[in-house]
PDB file of all heavy atoms in Angstrom:
ATOM      1  N   GLU A 204      96.731  84.084 116.233  1.00  0.00           N
ATOM      2  CA  GLU A 204      97.063  85.357 116.873  1.00  0.00           C
ATOM      3  C   GLU A 204      96.101  85.672 118.008  1.00  0.00           C
ATOM      4  O   GLU A 204      96.490  86.298 119.000  1.00  0.00           O
ATOM      5  CB  GLU A 204      97.044  86.479 115.834  1.00  0.00           C
ATOM      6  CG  GLU A 204      98.192  86.400 114.836  1.00  0.00           C
ATOM      7  CD  GLU A 204      98.093  87.474 113.777  1.00  0.00           C
ATOM      8  OE1 GLU A 204      97.032  88.128 113.695  1.00  0.00           O
ATOM      9  OE2 GLU A 204      99.069  87.663 113.021  1.00  0.00           O
ATOM     10  N   MET A 205      94.854  85.238 117.900  1.00  0.00           N
ATOM     11  CA  MET A 205      93.908  85.422 118.999  1.00  0.00           C
ATOM     12  C   MET A 205      94.334  84.625 120.227  1.00  0.00           C
ATOM     13  O   MET A 205      94.265  85.117 121.363  1.00  0.00           O
ATOM     14  CB  MET A 205      92.510  85.000 118.543  1.00  0.00           C
ATOM     15  CG  MET A 205      91.405  85.226 119.578  1.00  0.00           C
ATOM     16  SD  MET A 205      91.179  83.862 120.751  1.00  0.00           S
ATOM     17  CE  MET A 205      90.701  82.534 119.647  1.00  0.00           C
ATOM     18  N   VAL A 206      94.791  83.393 120.023  1.00  0.00           N
ATOM     19  CA  VAL A 206      95.258  82.585 121.150  1.00  0.00           C
ATOM     20  C   VAL A 206      96.487  83.223 121.797  1.00  0.00           C
ATOM     21  O   VAL A 206      96.665  83.170 123.024  1.00  0.00           O
ATOM     22  CB  VAL A 206      95.563  81.152 120.680  1.00  0.00           C
ATOM     23  CG1 VAL A 206      96.066  80.299 121.844  1.00  0.00           C
ATOM     24  CG2 VAL A 206      94.324  80.511 120.071  1.00  0.00           C
ATOM     25  N   LEU A 207      97.325  83.860 120.985  1.00  0.00           N
ATOM     26  CA  LEU A 207      98.515  84.534 121.516  1.00  0.00           C
ATOM     27  C   LEU A 207      98.177  85.835 122.236  1.00  0.00           C
ATOM     28  O   LEU A 207      99.063  86.437 122.845  1.00  0.00           O
ATOM     29  CB  LEU A 207      99.506  84.815 120.381  1.00  0.00           C
ATOM     30  CG  LEU A 207     100.204  83.596 119.781  1.00  0.00           C
ATOM     31  CD1 LEU A 207     101.018  83.994 118.566  1.00  0.00           C
ATOM     32  CD2 LEU A 207     101.087  82.914 120.809  1.00  0.00           C
ATOM     33  N   GLY A 208      96.947  86.301 122.149  1.00  0.00           N
ATOM     34  CA  GLY A 208      96.545  87.519 122.820  1.00  0.00           C
ATOM     35  C   GLY A 208      96.724  88.778 122.003  1.00  0.00           C
ATOM     36  O   GLY A 208      96.595  89.889 122.539  1.00  0.00           O
ATOM     37  N   ARG A 209      96.998  88.636 120.707  1.00  0.00           N
ATOM     38  CA  ARG A 209      97.184  89.815 119.860  1.00  0.00           C
ATOM     39  C   ARG A 209      95.854  90.454 119.479  1.00  0.00           C
ATOM     40  O   ARG A 209      95.819  91.593 119.004  1.00  0.00           O
ATOM     41  CB  ARG A 209      97.965  89.440 118.607  1.00  0.00           C
ATOM     42  CG  ARG A 209      99.358  88.904 118.912  1.00  0.00           C
ATOM     43  CD  ARG A 209     100.101  88.481 117.659  1.00  0.00           C
ATOM     44  NE  ARG A 209     101.381  87.867 117.972  1.00  0.00           N
ATOM     45  CZ  ARG A 209     102.229  87.383 117.077  1.00  0.00           C
ATOM     46  NH1 ARG A 209     101.911  87.446 115.778  1.00  0.00           N
ATOM     47  NH2 ARG A 209     103.362  86.825 117.451  1.00  0.00           N
ATOM     48  N   LEU A 210      94.766  89.721 119.625  1.00  0.00           N
ATOM     49  CA  LEU A 210      93.423  90.273 119.449  1.00  0.00           C
ATOM     50  C   LEU A 210      92.469  89.483 120.331  1.00  0.00           C
ATOM     51  O   LEU A 210      92.755  88.350 120.724  1.00  0.00           O
ATOM     52  CB  LEU A 210      92.980  90.229 117.986  1.00  0.00           C
ATOM     53  CG  LEU A 210      92.945  88.870 117.292  1.00  0.00           C
ATOM     54  CD1 LEU A 210      91.521  88.440 117.031  1.00  0.00           C
ATOM     55  CD2 LEU A 210      93.705  88.933 115.979  1.00  0.00           C
ATOM     56  N   THR A 211      91.344  90.083 120.653  1.00  0.00           N
ATOM     57  CA  THR A 211      90.400  89.470 121.586  1.00  0.00           C
ATOM     58  C   THR A 211      89.520  88.451 120.874  1.00  0.00           C
ATOM     59  O   THR A 211      89.338  88.506 119.654  1.00  0.00           O
ATOM     60  CB  THR A 211      89.525  90.541 122.236  1.00  0.00           C
ATOM     61  OG1 THR A 211      88.760  91.214 121.210  1.00  0.00           O
ATOM     62  CG2 THR A 211      90.388  91.571 122.968  1.00  0.00           C
ATOM     63  N   ALA A 212      88.969  87.533 121.652  1.00  0.00           N
ATOM     64  CA  ALA A 212      88.055  86.538 121.089  1.00  0.00           C
ATOM     65  C   ALA A 212      86.775  87.193 120.573  1.00  0.00           C
ATOM     66  O   ALA A 212      86.200  86.741 119.574  1.00  0.00           O
ATOM     67  CB  ALA A 212      87.719  85.490 122.147  1.00  0.00           C
ATOM     68  N   ARG A 213      86.343  88.255 121.223  1.00  0.00           N
ATOM     69  CA  ARG A 213      85.139  88.958 120.764  1.00  0.00           C
ATOM     70  C   ARG A 213      85.355  89.578 119.396  1.00  0.00           C
ATOM     71  O   ARG A 213      84.477  89.495 118.528  1.00  0.00           O
ATOM     72  CB  ARG A 213      84.766  90.035 121.787  1.00  0.00           C
ATOM     73  CG  ARG A 213      83.531  90.822 121.419  1.00  0.00           C
ATOM     74  CD  ARG A 213      83.223  91.845 122.487  1.00  0.00           C
ATOM     75  NE  ARG A 213      82.040  92.630 122.135  1.00  0.00           N
ATOM     76  CZ  ARG A 213      81.557  93.621 122.893  1.00  0.00           C
ATOM     77  NH1 ARG A 213      82.150  93.930 124.041  1.00  0.00           N
ATOM     78  NH2 ARG A 213      80.503  94.292 122.490  1.00  0.00           N
ATOM     79  N   ARG A 214      86.531  90.176 119.195  1.00  0.00           N
ATOM     80  CA  ARG A 214      86.825  90.769 117.879  1.00  0.00           C
ATOM     81  C   ARG A 214      86.958  89.685 116.811  1.00  0.00           C
ATOM     82  O   ARG A 214      86.554  89.883 115.668  1.00  0.00           O
ATOM     83  CB  ARG A 214      88.102  91.601 117.959  1.00  0.00           C
ATOM     84  CG  ARG A 214      88.497  92.232 116.623  1.00  0.00           C
ATOM     85  CD  ARG A 214      89.660  93.184 116.759  1.00  0.00           C
ATOM     86  NE  ARG A 214      90.076  93.704 115.464  1.00  0.00           N
ATOM     87  CZ  ARG A 214      89.468  94.694 114.823  1.00  0.00           C
ATOM     88  NH1 ARG A 214      88.397  95.265 115.357  1.00  0.00           N
ATOM     89  NH2 ARG A 214      89.893  95.111 113.644  1.00  0.00           N
ATOM     90  N   LEU A 215      87.517  88.544 117.190  1.00  0.00           N
ATOM     91  CA  LEU A 215      87.661  87.460 116.230  1.00  0.00           C
ATOM     92  C   LEU A 215      86.299  86.973 115.756  1.00  0.00           C
ATOM     93  O   LEU A 215      86.082  86.788 114.551  1.00  0.00           O
ATOM     94  CB  LEU A 215      88.444  86.306 116.865  1.00  0.00           C
ATOM     95  CG  LEU A 215      88.578  85.048 116.010  1.00  0.00           C
ATOM     96  CD1 LEU A 215      89.503  85.293 114.829  1.00  0.00           C
ATOM     97  CD2 LEU A 215      89.082  83.875 116.847  1.00  0.00           C
ATOM     98  N   VAL A 216      85.371  86.770 116.691  1.00  0.00           N
ATOM     99  CA  VAL A 216      84.063  86.218 116.333  1.00  0.00           C
ATOM    100  C   VAL A 216      83.198  87.256 115.630  1.00  0.00           C
ATOM    101  O   VAL A 216      82.488  86.943 114.665  1.00  0.00           O
ATOM    102  CB  VAL A 216      83.369  85.670 117.594  1.00  0.00           C
ATOM    103  CG1 VAL A 216      81.949  85.209 117.277  1.00  0.00           C
ATOM    104  CG2 VAL A 216      84.180  84.517 118.183  1.00  0.00           C
ATOM    105  N   SER A 217      83.245  88.503 116.083  1.00  0.00           N
ATOM    106  CA  SER A 217      82.329  89.521 115.561  1.00  0.00           C
ATOM    107  C   SER A 217      82.859  90.255 114.337  1.00  0.00           C
ATOM    108  O   SER A 217      82.062  90.801 113.559  1.00  0.00           O
ATOM    109  CB  SER A 217      82.016  90.540 116.657  1.00  0.00           C
ATOM    110  OG  SER A 217      83.202  91.208 117.080  1.00  0.00           O
ATOM    111  N   VAL A 218      84.173  90.270 114.121  1.00  0.00           N
ATOM    112  CA  VAL A 218      84.744  91.062 113.024  1.00  0.00           C
ATOM    113  C   VAL A 218      85.570  90.197 112.068  1.00  0.00           C
ATOM    114  O   VAL A 218      85.315  90.171 110.857  1.00  0.00           O
ATOM    115  CB  VAL A 218      85.610  92.220 113.574  1.00  0.00           C
ATOM    116  CG1 VAL A 218      86.228  93.014 112.422  1.00  0.00           C
ATOM    117  CG2 VAL A 218      84.788  93.127 114.461  1.00  0.00           C
ATOM    118  N   ILE A 219      86.553  89.478 112.593  1.00  0.00           N
ATOM    119  CA  ILE A 219      87.522  88.794 111.735  1.00  0.00           C
ATOM    120  C   ILE A 219      86.873  87.653 110.947  1.00  0.00           C
ATOM    121  O   ILE A 219      87.026  87.561 109.724  1.00  0.00           O
ATOM    122  CB  ILE A 219      88.706  88.272 112.569  1.00  0.00           C
ATOM    123  CG1 ILE A 219      89.376  89.434 113.311  1.00  0.00           C
ATOM    124  CG2 ILE A 219      89.704  87.561 111.674  1.00  0.00           C
ATOM    125  CD1 ILE A 219      89.924  90.506 112.421  1.00  0.00           C
ATOM    126  N   LEU A 220      86.132  86.782 111.624  1.00  0.00           N
ATOM    127  CA  LEU A 220      85.503  85.652 110.932  1.00  0.00           C
ATOM    128  C   LEU A 220      84.519  86.114 109.852  1.00  0.00           C
ATOM    129  O   LEU A 220      84.585  85.632 108.711  1.00  0.00           O
ATOM    130  CB  LEU A 220      84.817  84.735 111.942  1.00  0.00           C
ATOM    131  CG  LEU A 220      85.742  83.839 112.777  1.00  0.00           C
ATOM    132  CD1 LEU A 220      84.927  83.070 113.804  1.00  0.00           C
ATOM    133  CD2 LEU A 220      86.513  82.879 111.895  1.00  0.00           C
ATOM    134  N   PRO A 221      83.585  87.037 110.151  1.00  0.00           N
ATOM    135  CA  PRO A 221      82.694  87.507 109.066  1.00  0.00           C
ATOM    136  C   PRO A 221      83.436  88.183 107.921  1.00  0.00           C
ATOM    137  O   PRO A 221      83.076  87.996 106.748  1.00  0.00           O
ATOM    138  CB  PRO A 221      81.759  88.490 109.785  1.00  0.00           C
ATOM    139  CG  PRO A 221      81.792  88.085 111.211  1.00  0.00           C
ATOM    140  CD  PRO A 221      83.178  87.594 111.452  1.00  0.00           C
ATOM    141  N   ILE A 222      84.478  88.957 108.232  1.00  0.00           N
ATOM    142  CA  ILE A 222      85.225  89.641 107.174  1.00  0.00           C
ATOM    143  C   ILE A 222      85.901  88.628 106.247  1.00  0.00           C
ATOM    144  O   ILE A 222      85.821  88.748 105.015  1.00  0.00           O
ATOM    145  CB  ILE A 222      86.273  90.587 107.801  1.00  0.00           C
ATOM    146  CG1 ILE A 222      85.611  91.879 108.260  1.00  0.00           C
ATOM    147  CG2 ILE A 222      87.376  90.914 106.798  1.00  0.00           C
ATOM    148  CD1 ILE A 222      86.554  92.845 108.916  1.00  0.00           C
ATOM    149  N   HIS A 223      86.535  87.624 106.796  1.00  0.00           N
ATOM    150  CA  HIS A 223      87.277  86.672 105.969  1.00  0.00           C
ATOM    151  C   HIS A 223      86.336  85.831 105.108  1.00  0.00           C
ATOM    152  O   HIS A 223      86.627  85.593 103.925  1.00  0.00           O
ATOM    153  CB  HIS A 223      88.143  85.780 106.857  1.00  0.00           C
ATOM    154  CG  HIS A 223      89.451  86.397 107.237  1.00  0.00           C
ATOM    155  ND1 HIS A 223      90.643  86.037 106.660  1.00  0.00           N
ATOM    156  CD2 HIS A 223      89.755  87.379 108.120  1.00  0.00           C
ATOM    157  CE1 HIS A 223      91.631  86.749 107.179  1.00  0.00           C
ATOM    158  NE2 HIS A 223      91.116  87.569 108.080  1.00  0.00           N
ATOM    159  N   PHE A 224      85.221  85.384 105.662  1.00  0.00           N
ATOM    160  CA  PHE A 224      84.303  84.570 104.868  1.00  0.00           C
ATOM    161  C   PHE A 224      83.573  85.422 103.831  1.00  0.00           C
ATOM    162  O   PHE A 224      83.469  85.039 102.656  1.00  0.00           O
ATOM    163  CB  PHE A 224      83.304  83.858 105.788  1.00  0.00           C
ATOM    164  CG  PHE A 224      83.836  82.601 106.389  1.00  0.00           C
ATOM    165  CD1 PHE A 224      84.431  82.608 107.641  1.00  0.00           C
ATOM    166  CD2 PHE A 224      83.758  81.397 105.712  1.00  0.00           C
ATOM    167  CE1 PHE A 224      84.934  81.451 108.201  1.00  0.00           C
ATOM    168  CE2 PHE A 224      84.258  80.225 106.254  1.00  0.00           C
ATOM    169  CZ  PHE A 224      84.849  80.244 107.511  1.00  0.00           C
ATOM    170  N   ALA A 225      83.068  86.596 104.239  1.00  0.00           N
ATOM    171  CA  ALA A 225      82.330  87.446 103.297  1.00  0.00           C
ATOM    172  C   ALA A 225      83.244  88.013 102.220  1.00  0.00           C
ATOM    173  O   ALA A 225      82.870  88.072 101.034  1.00  0.00           O
ATOM    174  CB  ALA A 225      81.638  88.579 104.060  1.00  0.00           C
ATOM    175  N   SER A 226      84.451  88.422 102.572  1.00  0.00           N
ATOM    176  CA  SER A 226      85.375  88.990 101.585  1.00  0.00           C
ATOM    177  C   SER A 226      85.829  87.937 100.588  1.00  0.00           C
ATOM    178  O   SER A 226      86.000  88.233  99.399  1.00  0.00           O
ATOM    179  CB  SER A 226      86.580  89.606 102.286  1.00  0.00           C
ATOM    180  OG  SER A 226      86.186  90.647 103.155  1.00  0.00           O
TER     181      SER A 226
END
Side-chain angles (χ1 to χ4, degrees):
E204 290 177 349
M205 184 273 298
V206 179
L207 290 173
R209 299 178 185 179
L210 58 110
T211 62
R213 180 179 179 181
R214 179 173 176 80
L215 175 70
V216 175
S217 62
V218 179
I219 302 300
L220 285 176
I222 281 179
H223 277 256
F224 277 94
S226 299

